[in-house]
Amino acid sequence: MTTTNFPTFVKTWTPRINSYLKEHLASEIDTLQLSKIMAYSVMAGGKRLRPLLFLATRQALNLPLDEAALRAACGIEFIHTYSLIHDDLPEMDNSDLRRGQLTSHKKWGTAQAVLAGDGLLPLGLEWIATGTQSAKAIAIMTDAIGPNGMVGGQYLDIDATNNQETANDRDLIERMEWRKTGCLLLACVEMPLAEVKIEPALQADLLTFARSFGRAYQIYDDLVDVLETSQEAGKETQLDEADGKNNTLTQLGVAASRKRINQLIQQGQASLHGDYPVLSGFFEILKRVLA
Ligand code: GRG
Protein backbone atom coordinates (compact mmCIF):
# COMPACT_ATOMS: atom_id res chain seq x y z
CA MET A 1 0.00 0.00 0.00
CA THR A 2 1.33 3.44 -0.92
CA THR A 3 0.68 6.01 1.77
CA THR A 4 0.39 9.63 0.83
CA ASN A 5 0.62 11.41 4.15
CA PHE A 6 3.04 11.35 7.07
CA PRO A 7 0.68 10.48 9.98
CA THR A 8 -0.78 7.53 8.03
CA PHE A 9 2.70 6.39 7.02
CA VAL A 10 3.85 6.48 10.65
CA LYS A 11 0.69 4.70 11.84
CA THR A 12 1.08 2.00 9.21
CA TRP A 13 4.80 1.32 9.50
CA THR A 14 5.65 1.84 13.18
CA PRO A 15 3.74 -1.29 14.33
CA ARG A 16 5.28 -3.31 11.48
CA ILE A 17 8.77 -2.19 12.50
CA ASN A 18 8.02 -3.00 16.14
CA SER A 19 6.65 -6.47 15.34
CA TYR A 20 9.62 -7.37 13.13
CA LEU A 21 12.09 -6.16 15.77
CA LYS A 22 10.39 -8.08 18.57
CA GLU A 23 10.01 -11.35 16.72
CA HIS A 24 13.47 -11.47 15.17
CA LEU A 25 15.42 -10.23 18.19
CA ALA A 26 14.04 -13.18 20.08
CA SER A 27 14.52 -15.77 17.33
CA GLU A 28 17.97 -14.78 15.98
CA ILE A 29 19.99 -14.48 19.21
CA ASP A 30 20.76 -17.73 20.96
CA THR A 31 21.92 -16.38 24.34
CA LEU A 32 18.60 -15.73 25.99
CA GLN A 33 19.76 -13.20 28.59
CA LEU A 34 21.77 -11.15 26.07
CA SER A 35 18.77 -11.09 23.73
CA LYS A 36 16.63 -9.92 26.66
CA ILE A 37 19.04 -7.08 27.50
CA MET A 38 19.21 -5.96 23.86
CA ALA A 39 15.42 -6.13 23.54
CA TYR A 40 15.00 -4.11 26.75
CA SER A 41 16.41 -1.02 25.02
CA VAL A 42 15.19 -1.71 21.48
CA MET A 43 11.60 -2.43 22.49
CA ALA A 44 11.29 0.45 24.98
CA GLY A 45 9.56 2.70 22.48
CA GLY A 46 11.37 5.28 20.46
CA LYS A 47 9.94 7.03 17.47
CA ARG A 48 11.58 4.69 14.92
CA LEU A 49 12.51 7.84 13.02
CA ARG A 50 15.44 6.41 11.10
CA PRO A 51 13.73 3.22 9.83
CA LEU A 52 10.69 5.34 8.92
CA LEU A 53 12.88 7.76 6.99
CA PHE A 54 14.55 4.87 5.15
CA LEU A 55 11.18 3.32 4.24
CA ALA A 56 9.63 6.68 3.28
CA THR A 57 12.55 7.39 0.96
CA ARG A 58 12.14 3.97 -0.61
CA GLN A 59 8.47 4.71 -1.16
CA ALA A 60 9.31 8.11 -2.70
CA LEU A 61 11.64 6.33 -5.13
CA ASN A 62 9.10 3.59 -5.95
CA LEU A 63 11.30 0.91 -4.40
CA PRO A 64 9.49 -2.08 -2.86
CA LEU A 65 8.47 -1.90 0.79
CA ASP A 66 8.73 -5.65 1.28
CA GLU A 67 10.06 -7.83 4.11
CA ALA A 68 13.66 -7.31 2.97
CA ALA A 69 13.22 -3.52 3.19
CA LEU A 70 11.69 -3.91 6.65
CA ARG A 71 14.65 -6.01 7.77
CA ALA A 72 17.12 -3.36 6.59
CA ALA A 73 15.04 -0.62 8.25
CA CYS A 74 15.10 -2.53 11.54
CA GLY A 75 18.87 -2.97 11.20
CA ILE A 76 19.15 0.83 11.19
CA GLU A 77 17.12 0.99 14.41
CA PHE A 78 19.54 -1.51 16.04
CA ILE A 79 22.47 0.73 15.18
CA HIS A 80 20.68 3.80 16.53
CA THR A 81 19.78 1.94 19.74
CA TYR A 82 23.40 0.82 20.19
CA SER A 83 24.44 4.48 20.00
CA LEU A 84 21.87 5.45 22.65
CA ILE A 85 22.98 2.68 25.03
CA HIS A 86 26.63 3.69 24.73
CA ASP A 87 25.82 7.41 24.85
CA ASP A 88 24.08 6.89 28.21
CA LEU A 89 27.02 5.05 29.86
CA PRO A 90 28.63 6.59 32.97
CA GLU A 91 31.79 7.31 30.96
CA MET A 92 29.77 9.15 28.29
CA ASP A 93 26.64 11.14 29.17
CA ASN A 94 25.93 9.21 32.39
CA SER A 95 22.15 9.18 32.00
CA ASP A 96 19.70 7.26 34.16
CA LEU A 97 16.62 7.43 31.96
CA ARG A 98 16.05 6.65 28.30
CA ARG A 99 12.85 5.99 26.38
CA GLY A 100 10.86 6.39 29.57
CA GLN A 101 12.70 3.73 31.58
CA LEU A 102 16.03 3.10 33.32
CA THR A 103 19.00 3.14 30.95
CA SER A 104 20.55 -0.21 30.06
CA HIS A 105 23.55 0.13 32.41
CA LYS A 106 21.31 1.22 35.31
CA LYS A 107 19.06 -1.79 34.79
CA TRP A 108 21.58 -4.51 33.90
CA GLY A 109 25.08 -3.21 34.74
CA THR A 110 27.74 -1.46 32.69
CA ALA A 111 29.41 -4.55 31.18
CA GLN A 112 26.02 -5.90 30.12
CA ALA A 113 25.04 -2.55 28.55
CA VAL A 114 28.34 -2.29 26.65
CA LEU A 115 27.82 -5.81 25.31
CA ALA A 116 24.17 -5.18 24.40
CA GLY A 117 25.33 -2.17 22.33
CA ASP A 118 28.21 -4.18 20.89
CA GLY A 119 25.74 -6.89 19.90
CA LEU A 120 23.30 -4.48 18.24
CA LEU A 121 25.92 -2.85 16.02
CA PRO A 122 27.01 -5.90 13.97
CA LEU A 123 23.49 -7.36 14.03
CA GLY A 124 22.23 -4.07 12.58
CA LEU A 125 24.83 -4.20 9.83
CA GLU A 126 23.95 -7.82 9.11
CA TRP A 127 20.25 -6.97 8.77
CA ILE A 128 21.05 -4.07 6.42
CA ALA A 129 23.29 -6.39 4.36
CA THR A 130 20.72 -9.19 4.12
CA GLY A 131 17.83 -6.74 3.65
CA THR A 132 19.40 -4.62 0.90
CA GLN A 133 21.82 -7.18 -0.64
CA SER A 134 23.94 -4.10 -1.31
CA ALA A 135 27.60 -3.58 -0.54
CA LYS A 136 27.02 0.11 -1.29
CA ALA A 137 24.41 0.35 1.48
CA ILE A 138 26.89 -1.15 3.96
CA ALA A 139 29.61 1.27 2.83
CA ILE A 140 27.21 4.20 3.27
CA MET A 141 26.22 3.04 6.73
CA THR A 142 29.74 2.27 7.99
CA ASP A 143 30.90 5.69 6.77
CA ALA A 144 27.97 7.35 8.52
CA ILE A 145 28.57 5.73 11.90
CA GLY A 146 32.36 5.48 11.94
CA PRO A 147 35.17 7.81 13.01
CA ASN A 148 34.27 10.31 10.27
CA GLY A 149 30.60 10.05 11.22
CA MET A 150 28.67 9.31 14.40
CA VAL A 151 31.54 8.00 16.53
CA GLY A 152 33.71 10.94 15.41
CA GLY A 153 30.90 13.33 16.34
CA GLN A 154 30.57 11.76 19.75
CA TYR A 155 34.32 12.12 20.22
CA LEU A 156 34.16 15.82 19.33
CA ASP A 157 31.21 16.22 21.71
CA ILE A 158 33.13 14.74 24.61
CA ASP A 159 36.19 16.74 23.69
CA ALA A 160 34.14 19.97 23.60
CA THR A 161 32.53 19.34 27.00
CA ASN A 162 33.75 21.75 29.70
CA ASN A 163 36.21 23.10 27.17
CA GLN A 164 36.42 26.89 27.04
CA GLU A 165 38.50 26.78 23.86
CA THR A 166 35.63 25.24 21.91
CA ALA A 167 32.80 27.08 23.64
CA ASN A 168 32.62 29.73 20.91
CA ASP A 169 33.89 27.71 17.97
CA ARG A 170 30.86 27.60 15.64
CA ASP A 171 32.54 25.48 12.94
CA LEU A 172 33.56 22.82 15.40
CA ILE A 173 30.11 22.62 16.97
CA GLU A 174 28.46 22.47 13.53
CA ARG A 175 30.79 19.60 12.57
CA MET A 176 30.24 17.80 15.87
CA GLU A 177 26.43 17.99 15.68
CA TRP A 178 26.32 17.04 12.01
CA ARG A 179 28.48 13.96 12.56
CA LYS A 180 26.87 12.86 15.81
CA THR A 181 23.29 12.94 14.50
CA GLY A 182 23.04 14.19 10.91
CA CYS A 183 25.20 11.53 9.25
CA LEU A 184 23.00 8.60 10.27
CA LEU A 185 19.81 10.39 9.18
CA LEU A 186 21.42 11.24 5.84
CA ALA A 187 22.43 7.58 5.38
CA CYS A 188 18.74 6.59 5.68
CA VAL A 189 18.11 8.56 2.47
CA GLU A 190 21.42 7.75 0.75
CA MET A 191 20.96 3.97 0.99
CA PRO A 192 17.71 3.88 -1.06
CA LEU A 193 19.18 6.48 -3.46
CA ALA A 194 22.10 4.12 -4.11
CA GLU A 195 19.63 1.54 -5.49
CA VAL A 196 18.11 3.72 -8.22
CA LYS A 197 19.11 5.71 -11.25
CA ILE A 198 17.38 9.08 -11.12
CA GLU A 199 17.90 12.58 -12.46
CA PRO A 200 20.90 14.20 -10.74
CA ALA A 201 18.72 17.23 -9.88
CA LEU A 202 16.17 15.05 -8.07
CA GLN A 203 18.96 13.21 -6.27
CA ALA A 204 20.46 16.54 -5.16
CA ASP A 205 17.04 17.71 -3.90
CA LEU A 206 16.50 14.58 -1.81
CA LEU A 207 19.99 14.92 -0.36
CA THR A 208 19.30 18.57 0.51
CA PHE A 209 16.11 17.45 2.26
CA ALA A 210 18.04 14.83 4.25
CA ARG A 211 20.86 17.21 5.16
CA SER A 212 18.43 19.89 6.33
CA PHE A 213 16.46 17.43 8.45
CA GLY A 214 19.60 15.73 9.80
CA ARG A 215 21.20 19.03 10.73
CA ALA A 216 18.03 20.36 12.38
CA TYR A 217 17.40 17.20 14.38
CA GLN A 218 20.30 17.63 16.83
CA ILE A 219 19.36 21.26 17.49
CA TYR A 220 15.80 20.04 18.11
CA ASP A 221 17.10 17.36 20.50
CA ASP A 222 19.11 19.93 22.47
CA LEU A 223 16.07 22.22 22.69
CA VAL A 224 14.07 19.28 24.09
CA ASP A 225 16.72 19.11 26.84
CA VAL A 226 16.00 22.65 27.99
CA LEU A 227 12.30 23.01 27.18
CA GLU A 228 10.82 19.71 28.35
CA THR A 229 10.51 17.82 31.61
CA SER A 230 11.99 14.32 31.92
CA GLN A 231 8.48 12.91 31.82
CA GLU A 232 7.64 14.70 28.57
CA ALA A 233 10.92 13.72 26.92
CA GLY A 234 11.17 10.16 28.30
CA LYS A 235 14.79 10.82 29.26
CA GLU A 236 16.59 13.07 31.70
CA THR A 237 16.47 16.71 30.67
CA GLN A 238 18.14 19.92 31.86
CA LEU A 239 21.44 18.01 31.80
CA ASP A 240 23.43 19.69 29.07
CA GLU A 241 24.18 22.99 30.79
CA ALA A 242 25.05 21.34 34.12
CA ASP A 243 27.32 18.88 32.28
CA GLY A 244 29.21 21.73 30.58
CA LYS A 245 28.02 20.75 27.09
CA ASN A 246 28.80 23.07 24.22
CA ASN A 247 26.31 23.00 21.36
CA THR A 248 24.37 25.27 19.01
CA LEU A 249 21.90 26.00 21.78
CA THR A 250 24.53 27.05 24.34
CA GLN A 251 26.25 29.13 21.66
CA LEU A 252 23.22 30.85 20.13
CA GLY A 253 20.45 30.60 22.75
CA VAL A 254 16.86 29.41 22.39
CA ALA A 255 15.53 32.09 20.01
CA ALA A 256 18.39 31.85 17.49
CA SER A 257 18.36 28.04 17.66
CA ARG A 258 14.66 28.04 16.82
CA LYS A 259 15.37 30.43 13.96
CA ARG A 260 18.05 28.07 12.64
CA ILE A 261 15.61 25.13 12.77
CA ASN A 262 13.05 27.23 10.90
CA GLN A 263 15.61 28.09 8.20
CA LEU A 264 16.54 24.42 7.84
CA ILE A 265 12.85 23.44 7.59
CA GLN A 266 12.31 26.02 4.85
CA GLN A 267 15.40 24.86 2.98
CA GLY A 268 14.39 21.20 3.27
CA GLN A 269 10.77 21.85 2.27
CA ALA A 270 11.84 23.94 -0.72
CA SER A 271 14.01 21.08 -1.98
CA LEU A 272 10.96 18.75 -1.99
CA HIS A 273 8.91 21.17 -4.17
CA GLY A 274 5.69 19.98 -2.49
CA ASP A 275 6.13 16.60 -4.22
CA TYR A 276 6.73 14.24 -1.30
CA PRO A 277 4.16 14.72 1.48
CA VAL A 278 5.48 11.80 3.56
CA LEU A 279 9.08 13.07 3.52
CA SER A 280 7.90 16.61 4.09
CA GLY A 281 5.99 15.41 7.18
CA PHE A 282 9.25 14.61 8.99
CA PHE A 283 9.67 18.34 9.56
CA GLU A 284 6.45 18.34 11.63
CA ILE A 285 8.36 16.55 14.41
CA LEU A 286 10.70 19.52 14.77
CA LYS A 287 7.86 21.98 15.24
CA ARG A 288 7.28 20.64 18.77
CA VAL A 289 10.15 22.85 20.04
CA LEU A 290 9.23 25.94 18.02
CA ALA A 291 7.24 28.56 19.89
C1 GRG B 1 31.10 4.12 22.63
C2 GRG B 1 32.09 2.94 20.60
C3 GRG B 1 31.24 4.00 21.16
C4 GRG B 1 30.58 4.81 20.32
C5 GRG B 1 29.73 5.87 20.76
C6 GRG B 1 27.35 6.85 21.52
C7 GRG B 1 27.84 7.15 20.18
C8 GRG B 1 28.95 6.38 19.65
C9 GRG B 1 27.29 8.08 19.47
C10 GRG B 1 26.15 8.83 20.06
C11 GRG B 1 25.46 9.63 19.13
C12 GRG B 1 24.17 10.06 19.73
C13 GRG B 1 23.55 9.32 20.84
C14 GRG B 1 23.59 11.12 19.20
C15 GRG B 1 22.28 11.62 19.65
C16 GRG B 1 21.31 11.38 18.57
C17 GRG B 1 19.90 11.68 18.97
C18 GRG B 1 19.32 12.98 18.59
C19 GRG B 1 19.21 10.77 19.65
C20 GRG B 1 17.78 10.84 19.95
O1 GRG B 1 17.12 10.22 18.84
P1 GRG B 1 15.54 10.05 18.79
O2 GRG B 1 14.88 11.35 19.17
O3 GRG B 1 15.29 8.99 19.95
O4 GRG B 1 15.18 9.52 17.46
P2 GRG B 1 14.26 7.76 19.99
O5 GRG B 1 14.33 7.27 21.42
O6 GRG B 1 12.89 8.29 19.61
O7 GRG B 1 14.75 6.73 19.02
Side-chain angles (χ1 to χ4, degrees), residues 46-47 50 80 82-83 86-87 92 99 154 181 217:
K47 295 176 286 297
R50 293 149 191 84
H80 167 59
Y82 127 77
S83 83
H86 282 195
D87 186 48
M92 299 263 180
R99 292 179 164 172
Q154 179 79 352
T181 301
Y217 200 73

Side-chain angles (χ1 to χ4, degrees), residues 136-195:
K136 253 194 214 165
I138 292 296
I140 289 167
M141 180 52 76
T142 49
D143 256 11
I145 63 174
N148 294 320
M150 185 174 76
V151 167
Q154 179 79 352
Y155 183 87
L156 292 176
D157 188 4
I158 285 167
D159 207 37
T161 301
N162 286 311
N163 182 343
Q164 273 317 300
E165 272 174 48
T166 51
N168 298 313
D169 189 335
R170 276 303 293 142
D171 285 351
L172 182 107
I173 295 301
E174 282 282 330
R175 193 160 71 249
M176 176 273 280
E177 292 178 358
W178 169 252
R179 289 186 177 188
K180 189 169 79 151
T181 301
C183 281
L184 180 55
L185 289 164
L186 174 63
C188 298
V189 173
E190 283 180 323
M191 288 189 288
L193 276 174
E195 282 190 49

Side-chain angles (χ1 to χ4, degrees), residues 93 156-157 160-163 166-178 180-181 215 218-226 238-254 256-257:
D93 276 4
L156 292 176
D157 188 4
T161 301
N162 286 311
N163 182 343
T166 51
N168 298 313
D169 189 335
R170 276 303 293 142
D171 285 351
L172 182 107
I173 295 301
E174 282 282 330
R175 193 160 71 249
M176 176 273 280
E177 292 178 358
W178 169 252
K180 189 169 79 151
T181 301
R215 181 65 199 93
Q218 184 57 49
I219 307 175
Y220 155 87
D221 195 58
D222 290 332
L223 274 162
V224 167
D225 180 78
V226 298
Q238 322 294 328
L239 283 180
D240 288 352
E241 198 182 346
D243 287 349
K245 288 284 180 193
N246 288 311
N247 53 40
T248 292
L249 183 58
T250 59
Q251 289 186 332
L252 303 183
V254 172
S257 296

